Amino acid sequence: PTSEWVTKAVKKKYSRYHMHQFLKLSQGKIQSISNYSPPDLFSKDPERVSHALRCLQESPQNNFRMFIDGQLVFPDKDGHGNRLSLLKIFEDAKVQNPNISDRILDILGKILVHEPLLDNILMLQKFDEADIEAVWPIYQEILRRGENITPLWRGDTMYPRPPISKLPENPSDQHELVRRFLLACTA
């Protein structure tokens, strides 16, 4: 979020996710702030990953979804759900294990800790080398020049690289910065 109140000090205190939570709450898009923390999920620490998954279960919003036979069953279409509503879904599906929700989260946590899925997503997120406040003016400059950004599926392959020390002035480097930002946003 961008506003006169979102200072660099605020950005150091709160994650982008939590700033968006406060913004969505103020706009009435969510009913409460989630205790979910993306750094916990990506930590590879079994306890932190488990905590993140349980927080997602209690307040899934659009960050945690469960499907049965290809149909979205959790959360509801508005992103609402909690442990009790998830247990009801399993009950309706005739699952006899009263601990099924905990068991699924435990198995999911083990997969996330031991498989490279989160590492791959994190690598893509690291392509975001500049904040939106820096990327947006560069994108506007590209548009003013009448240029189009090469679609992500076209163009040269992008690889991780050390963070940039200054914003690019060269048009091709500007395109690369915007494309890297867009790629990071997809993860």
Side-chain angles (χ1 to χ4, degrees), residues 147-175:
E147 301 167 1
N148 294 318
I149 300 295
T150 303
L152 294 177
W153 53 272
R154 295 175 75 200
D156 295 332
T157 302
M158 291 183 273
Y159 297 99
R161 65 181 183 193
I164 58 174
S165 57
K166 66 179 193 136
L167 294 176
E169 295 177 16
N170 175 324
S172 67
D173 292 340
Q174 289 177 336
H175 279 263

Side-chain angles (χ1 to χ4, degrees), residues 25-44:
L25 183 66
S26 73
Q27 295 171 336
K29 293 180 178 178
I30 58 175
Q31 296 173 335
S32 63
I33 300 288
S34 173
N35 289 323
Y36 165 65
S37 170
D40 283 347
L41 185 67
F42 284 86
S43 71
K44 291 287 199 172

Side-chain angles (χ1 to χ4, degrees), residues 33-184:
I33 300 288
S34 173
N35 289 323
Y36 165 65
S37 170
D40 283 347
L41 185 67
F42 284 86
S43 71
K44 291 287 199 172
D45 177 278
E47 287 181 28
R48 290 179 65 193
V49 170
S50 177
H51 176 73
L53 291 172
R54 281 166 181 39
C55 288
L56 284 170
Q57 176 185 322
E58 285 304 318
S59 182
Q61 296 172 12
N62 70 340
N63 301 302
F64 183 63
R65 295 181 181 168
M66 191 170 290
F67 297 82
I68 295 178
D69 293 329
Q71 298 296 313
L72 177 66
V73 295
F74 181 82
D76 66 19
K77 63 180 176 49
D78 297 319
H80 302 128
N82 58 35
R83 180 177 166 69
L84 292 177
S85 62
L86 188 56
L87 289 173
K88 174 84 171 96
I89 290 165
F90 290 126
E91 183 180 299
D92 292 347
K94 309 234 183 310
V95 175
Q96 300 300 317
N97 185 338
N99 299 321
I100 190 68
S101 177
D102 291 333
R103 188 74 184 121
I104 288 173
L105 291 182
D106 289 343
I107 292 168
L108 181 57
K110 288 177 182 173
I111 291 169
L112 293 176
V113 166
H114 296 289
E115 294 296 324
L117 172 67
L118 293 177
D119 292 332
N120 293 340
I121 292 171
L122 186 58
M123 181 190 69
L124 286 174
Q125 289 175 340
K126 288 181 178 181
F127 277 47
D128 182 0
E129 302 165 324
D131 209 316
I132 185 64
E133 288 91 359
V135 174
W136 183 251
I138 290 173
Y139 176 68
Q140 294 294 340
E141 170 77 17
I142 291 169
L143 294 180
R144 273 193 295 279
R145 292 192 306 250
E147 301 167 1
N148 294 318
I149 300 295
T150 303
L152 294 177
W153 53 272
R154 295 175 75 200
D156 295 332
T157 302
M158 291 183 273
Y159 297 99
R161 65 181 183 193
I164 58 174
S165 57
K166 66 179 193 136
L167 294 176
E169 295 177 16
N170 175 324
S172 67
D173 292 340
Q174 289 177 336
H175 279 263
E176 177 77 1
L177 180 71
V178 172
R179 288 184 75 238
R180 292 175 79 83
F181 176 81
L182 293 172
L183 184 60

